Structure formats: C-alpha cells, structure tokens
Amino acid sequence: MSTRITGTSHLKSENVNVWFGERHVLKDVNITFPANQVTALIGPSGCGKSTFLRTLNRMHELIPGAGFAGKILLDGTDIYDPQMDPVNVRLNIGMVFQKPNPFPTMSIKDNVLSGLRLSGRKTDDASGLLESSLRRASIWNEVKDRLGDAALSLSGGQQQRLCIARALAMNPEVLLMDEPCSALDPGSTRRIEETIVELSESMTIVIVTHNMQQAQRVADETAFFLAEDGNPGGVVEFGNTEDVFNRPVDGRTNDYVNGHFG
Amino acid sequence: MSTSSEPTSHSPVRRTLKAKPFSRADRMFFGVARSASYFSVILIALILVFLFIRATPAFQSQGIGFIFGSNWNTSNPHHIVMQIGPMIWGSLLISVLGIILGVPMALSTAYFIEFMAGKTMARVATLVVDLLAAMPSVVIGLWGLVVFTPVASHWAELLHKALGFIPIFANTSGNFSASPFIAGWIVAVMIVPIITSISREIFSQMDRELINASLALGGSRSSTFFKVVLPTASGGVVGGVLLGLGRALGETVAIYFVLNLIFKVNWFNIIENQGGSVASMILSKFGEASDAEISGLMAAGLVLFVVTLVVNWIAAYIVNKAQPWRKL
Ligand SMILES: Nc1ncnc2c1ncn2[C@@H]1O[C@H](COP(=O)(O)OP(=O)(O)OP(=O)(O)O)[C@@H](O)[C@H]1O
Ligand SMILES: [Mg+2]
C-alpha cells in the first residue's frame, strides 16, 4: 500500500467498520485526507464508497439498522464522540449529493441561504454570502439576474452547482461529494471539476467517482475500495493519484484502473 | 417497382385518427367506465335539482333573511319564520376549531408513523388511526357526550379562569358544556384519520434526498419538518385538510349530541354553552317537521352544500396563490 501524505492531516478515518443490520459492509478503513487536497474514492459498484462517505459527516447513522465502529477525526477530534452534536459536525463537513436536490419550494436565493434558516443561524450580510457562495460555485453569472426564480427552473448542471453553492454558504471545512457529475452532461461536468479544483484551495474535498478520467483530473489522492465476494469492503490502495493510476502497487488496483473488472 | 417518390398532383387526404378502443373487451371497459362516470354526475345533478325544487318555497317565503337572520319560529302556521344564520356561522366556527385542533394532531401522527416509528409501531399506529376512521359517528357522539364533555368542560373552565379576559374565552352562563369548543374537539377527532392518512401518503412519497439535503446542511429534525417537508408536501396536505373540512362542515350526528343548538349567533365565544350547526339542526328538526318546515330544512341543506363548495374553492385558490413553484 503506497501512502504519501501531503499537508496537515485534517480529516482522518481510523479503523472504520460499518454494518447494515447484521451485514458487515466496510472493514477497517484507514484514510488520512490531507488538508486542502482533493481525495477521490473509486471502486466497483457496491463496494461501500457512498457508505464510507456518509460516515464522514454522520449521515450514515440516519439509516435504520446502521452500525458503526472506529473513529473519524476532524482536526484531531472524534466526530462520533458522545459530546458531539451531529448538527455541528454536518455544519463543518458539507455534502453534495449524486442527484441535484435543490429545495423545490424555494427560490435560487433561498436555496443558497437555506442552510442558515435550517440550522437557525444568522448572518449580517446575506446578500454578500449569497453572491460569494454562487461565485465560488461558478454559477453567479448565470443566475445573478434571476435570483428570485424557482430553483427547479435551472438546468440539471446548474442545479448541481446551486447545491454546491448551498453547501458552500455554510462555509464548511470539508466538502463531501458523492458522484456529483453522474447525472450531468460533459460540459457541466467540466465546469464542476474546475470548481472543485478551485475550491480545494480553501477546503478539503472528498469525491466519489466512477469516472477514472475525472479522478485523474481533479484528485490529488485516490483511494481504491473493493469488496471481494461475500467479504466486507475496504481500501486496497491509497496514495497519490498519479501513482495509483500509473504505478499501482496492488494487482487488483491495476486491473480496476485499466478497466479489467468492475 | 421503384420506390422513388412520384410527384403527386394533389396533397394526400388527411385521415382522421381516433384513439378508439378496438377490441371487444376494450369497448366494454370504456363503456363501463364512461357510464359509471355519467351515472355519478347525473346522480349529483338529480340530488341538486330535487333539493332546489323542494327548497324553493322556503327561499320564496323567507327571502334573504333565511341566510342572514337568526330566528326560527314555526308555531304559527300562518307566519312561519325560518332563518339559519347562527347555524351557518356555527358550522364554520366549529369546522375552523376542528381544523385548528385536528391538523396539528394529524400532522404529528403522520410524521411519527412515517419518519420516527419502527415498523411494528408504525403498523399499530396506522391500525389505530384506521379504526378511528371506521368508528361510526354516532358512537363518537355518544362518547363525546358521556365521556368527553365532562373532561372538556373542565378544560374550558380552566381556560376561562386563566384567559377569561380575552373575549374568546368569555363565559357568562357558568355552564361550560355543549359549547363550540367541545364540538370542535369532536370534529377534530373525526377529521384526524383522513388528514393523517393522506399526509402520511404524501410524506411517504416525498423525495428522501430533500430530507437528507436538509440534515446535511445542519438542519434539525424539526427545522427540516417545518421548512422542507411541510412546504414540499403542503399541496397534498392541504388537499387532505380540505377533505377533512368537507367532513367537518357536514358532520351531523356527533355534533347533535354534544352541542347546544341556539338560534342566536355565537360569534366567537367558543366556551359559551351555545352554538350552531346546519347539519345537526336539520337532524334535530326533521322528526316533527311540517311541510313548510321540510322545505326550510331542504333549503338549509342546499345552503350547506354551497357553503362547503365555496369554502373549498377559496381554500384551493389560496393554496395555488401560495405556491408559485407549482406552476412549473
Ligand atoms: N440503506 C442501506 N441498507 C442496507 N444496505 C445498504 C444500504 N445502503 C447500502 N447498502 C449496502 O452496502 C453496500 C455498499 O453500498 P454503497 O452504496 O456504499 O456502495 P457504493 O460503493 O457507493 O456503490 P455505487 O458505486 O453503486 O454507488 C452494498 O452492498 C449495499 O447493498
Ligand atoms: Mg454510491
């Protein structure tokens, strides 16, 4: 296993194990996500990438029957500590979902500011926050003249960038993205990838993707997950994206990144 | 033979395309469906025509006072006065009370069943709600009179003691039973099942990703409910409330048991021992009614029908106005 860590350790998983009911789906996942870097999670369908991602901001525990063991450390603090309020965890660790899911009853503007309303937080400068969030998600120019329009009047790609803006408005330290481009056309995908690279200057990003080119374009680090038949999933290889794709240590990684299975 | 297109001298005749059922089975199916829908429309029309014809003498003899006046005196056959203003107002008042009391109950129950309860608990709760829906209204009325009235009268008395300076909770008679407040509770009990089961259905069809999005943004369970679930579901929930309202306005027997019907408008003194209800009034008078009175009761039924219709329209209009995104 080739491991190269850049920057300070910011988010770290220690011996993460996950169950759904009696089923053990993830075993001993140890990953250190370097600060201000993009880490891609890749692997065949069903190996537990989304599940792992959801443990990183305590969304996992919302599923009935979900089990968890291990630690997730954010700047050294275990987010599963009984003293931790999961709401605070999620405010620090934002999430963008696979399918664009803007709130259908809200305008573009209200969607961006929805996190404030939902978490009962206030800001002195709502319009400043609105503009900066939309700019960071590279959608400001497209929507600045129609902020009051319904969010669903946007195209799928624009909706996804709106969802990114919505997450950014809470100013998270970490942003989790689960296949954020899988429902989008190549043009929108390209723009979101550029956004991801820009955002990584100010936050740590973890992205699940099935797109090998995308992983290579955006990710500094890559973790390859695999669940071999009947066994819980785990990390086979983790390291610098270049290395994982071009000089994989494990034969299974080599097979996967070259499209031999999965 | 060549397939190249020959120049035609005239444009082709346009053929009529009909999505007509072709097979025998389809024709029968269409026939049955169509006649059933015609049948129900005709039935409703016939009922209305019947009501209208029978109600006409009362409307003619009473004039506009029938709706706005507050007097009912049929003892002198040469001078019959039938005015149902207090009953119309009472029906509306009780329905509003029922909605105010019942909707939060129904929404909480639906939320509990759909989002909080485990499988077994959800099944039990659903069963209980369905049982409540199947409870004959005469049984609820009896329960309301024998069991609930003493309890609710006590609540009303406490309300009066604490908040009696607010006109709504004024009570001059010292009698706290048979009030619109109690009738409102009974209506609430009767409309909770339907509003619960419709809301539950709407909640269950709700996109879970919206709820996840809200929680991932740092939303709590309650802020997610009030700011995401409820607004998104509001169209369907209001539909359920409207169905409940229809039932509330038409509720007859149960209210007959628990409300003191008085031909004097009780505008908003909800814990006063007097109130009105068109449907219950019809029931209470029907037994020993003369022909002239029967016509008055028919007219009252027609008015109740129109009021229910208008309330539904207004509510539907408000809902559409309040939901611009639905036009998408
Ligand atoms: N809500 C759930 N209840 C029970 N089992 C689940 C649930 N969600 C996922 N699983 C199981 O956990 C395992 C990992 O699923 P997960 O969705 O994390 O895979 P994934 O790597 O994200 O796959 P994909 O690439 O297809 O999105 C799978 O075997 C799946 O069946
Ligand atoms: Mg997944």
Side-chain angles (χ1 to χ4, degrees):
Chain A
M1 190 158 133
S2 81
T3 313
R4 214 201 81 213
I5 293 166
T6 43
T8 50
S9 76
H10 192 203
L11 186 68
K12 192 173 173 192
S13 79
E14 279 185 8
N15 293 323
V16 166
N17 282 263
V18 169
W19 294 264
F20 284 113
E22 292 303 307
R23 233 179 100 222
H24 197 178
V25 299
L26 276 177
K27 190 166 157 44
D28 296 334
V29 179
N30 290 288
I31 300 181
T32 302
F33 300 95
N36 294 14
Q37 302 261 308
V38 180
T39 303
L41 309 182
I42 61 168
S45 186
C47 66
K49 305 177 298 292
S50 301
T51 302
F52 177 65
L53 198 73
R54 293 168 63 90
T55 64
L56 297 178
N57 68 341
R58 297 191 56 172
M59 290 296 285
H60 170 63
E61 69 206 46
L62 299 170
I63 299 167
F68 176 84
K71 281 184 180 171
I72 304 286
L73 302 170
L74 178 64
D75 287 330
T77 314
D78 183 12
I79 64 168
Y80 282 89
D81 189 287
Q83 307 296 320
M84 274 285 198
D85 179 357
V87 165
N88 276 328
V89 169
R90 294 179 199 131
L91 285 171
N92 284 319
I93 308 179
M95 189 167 216
V96 175
F97 296 77
Q98 179 168 359
K99 210 178 94 220
N101 56 357
F103 297 121
T105 59
M106 298 183 196
S107 65
I108 293 170
K109 175 183 166 201
D110 289 345
N111 260 282
V112 177
L113 300 177
S114 59
L116 289 175
R117 290 178 61 211
L118 287 163
S119 62
R121 254 141 256 251
K122 298 232 163 7
T123 175
D124 300 330
D125 184 18
S127 62
L129 180 65
L130 175 68
E131 178 170 346
S132 66
S133 307
L134 288 166
R135 277 193 192 282
R136 287 169 81 194
S138 340
I139 188 181
W140 170 252
N141 286 330
E142 288 154 76
V143 300
K144 63 172 188 274
D145 301 320
R146 45 188 293 209
L147 294 168
D149 287 8
L152 291 187
S153 66
L154 297 171
S155 75
Q158 290 172 327
Q159 287 183 23
Q160 192 63 306
R161 276 180 285 142
L162 177 65
C163 292
I164 295 175
R166 179 174 73 179
L168 294 178
M170 301 313 285
N171 207 11
E173 295 170 45
V174 180
L175 189 61
L176 311 176
M177 306 175 113
D178 193 351
E179 302 184 47
C181 304
S182 66
L184 305 181
D185 65 290
S188 305
T189 300
R190 241 344 205 285
R191 303 210 44 187
I192 289 182
E193 288 177 4
E194 287 162 14
T195 307
I196 291 171
V197 173
E198 280 165 29
L199 288 173
S200 69
E201 284 170 18
S202 55
M203 61 184 63
T204 306
I205 295 177
V206 185
I207 176 172
V208 174
T209 180
H210 277 288
N211 182 329
M212 296 301 121
Q213 283 75 38
Q214 180 168 69
Q216 294 178 69
R217 282 192 298 259
V218 303
D220 304 293
E221 310 283 323
T222 297
F224 172 55
F225 280 68
L226 187 63
E228 280 163 320
D229 14 57
N231 295 319
V235 179
V236 169
E237 185 154 352
F238 173 56
N240 184 283
T241 301
E242 267 268 330
D243 293 340
V244 170
F245 280 92
N246 299 324
R247 291 172 289 282
V249 175
D250 197 296
R252 294 167 296 177
T253 314
N254 189 41
D255 288 346
Y256 183 73
V257 298
N258 291 306
H260 295 318
F261 73 90
Chain B
M1 209 175 117
S2 156
T3 55
S4 71
S5 58
E6 302 263 319
T8 43
S9 53
H10 55 88
S11 52
V13 178
R14 185 174 168 139
R15 300 168 67 168
T16 42
L17 301 173
K18 273 193 199 149
K20 260 199 160 175
F22 196 75
S23 72
R24 210 184 138 83
D26 265 8
R27 277 205 307 275
M28 274 180 60
F29 175 70
F30 268 50
V32 170
R34 183 177 294 132
S35 10
S37 73
Y38 287 173
F39 179 73
S40 54
V41 170
I42 290 169
L43 197 64
I44 290 171
L46 283 177
I47 294 174
L48 278 179
V49 167
F50 164 79
L51 266 182
F52 197 80
I53 291 172
R54 298 294 303 268
T56 305
F59 283 136
Q60 274 171 347
S61 71
Q62 303 299 318
I64 198 77
F66 182 74
I67 289 168
F68 295 105
S70 339
N71 191 7
W72 187 283
N73 189 341
T74 50
S75 48
N76 176 358
H78 302 293
H79 184 68
I80 287 178
V81 183
M82 296 185 291
Q83 301 176 328
I84 61 166
M87 298 297 130
I88 298 174
W89 178 253
S91 282
L92 291 170
L93 182 66
I94 292 166
S95 303
V96 168
L97 283 174
I99 296 280
I100 290 172
L101 296 168
V103 168
M105 249 195 293
L107 290 180
S108 318
T109 311
Y111 184 85
F112 172 78
I113 293 175
E114 202 51 45
F115 297 117
M116 287 165 60
K119 275 206 182 85
T120 323
M121 194 58 221
R123 219 170 281 154
V124 171
T126 308
L127 186 75
V128 171
V129 172
D130 289 348
L131 274 178
L132 191 57
M135 196 70 76
S137 70
V138 63
V139 174
I140 292 185
L142 276 171
W143 170 82
L145 180 66
V146 176
V147 181
F148 185 69
T149 293
V151 179
S153 309
H154 183 60
W155 296 348
E157 210 172 332
L158 291 179
L159 269 176
H160 175 64
K161 279 194 185 126
L163 302 166
F165 58 91
I166 306 173
I168 300 178
F169 301 115
N171 180 301
T172 49
S173 63
N175 183 348
F176 292 92
S177 67
S179 63
F181 175 70
I182 292 175
W185 272 108
I186 294 300
V187 164
V189 169
M190 309 206 56
I191 63 178
V192 156
I194 183 149
I195 300 180
T196 302
S197 76
I198 289 176
S199 309
R200 196 170 60 82
E201 188 65 34
I202 306 278
F203 290 165
S204 77
Q205 285 167 10
M206 175 139 186
D207 187 354
R208 298 287 153 140
E209 288 292 285
L210 292 178
I211 297 172
N212 285 337
S214 170
L215 295 170
L217 281 167
S220 62
R221 296 292 187 143
S222 57
S223 68
T224 299
F225 177 69
F226 286 111
K227 291 174 180 155
V228 175
V229 176
L230 212 47
T232 310
S234 64
V237 169
V238 170
V241 173
L242 287 183
L243 277 176
L245 189 65
R247 178 156 194 202
L249 282 164
E251 186 43 50
T252 311
V253 181
I255 292 178
Y256 176 72
F257 275 100
V258 298
L259 184 64
N260 185 20
L261 296 171
I262 298 286
F263 278 88
K264 178 164 168 273
V265 181
N266 175 356
W267 288 108
F268 51 78
N269 296 327
I270 58 173
I271 59 174
E272 201 68 80
N273 165 261
Q274 63 174 69
S277 156
V278 178
S280 304
M281 183 275 292
I282 295 174
L283 176 67
S284 72
K285 299 247 178 257
F286 196 77
E288 58 253 31
S290 65
D291 275 358
E293 265 184 294
I294 293 271
S295 171
L297 297 180
M298 295 282 179
L302 196 59
V303 168
L304 179 62
F305 172 77
V306 172
V307 167
T308 308
L309 216 58
V310 169
V311 167
N312 272 327
W313 281 335
I314 292 173
Y317 177 78
I318 293 170
V319 172
N320 276 332
K321 275 267 151 167
Q323 300 180 308
W325 70 88
R326 292 205 164 261
K327 291 190 197 107
L328 278 177

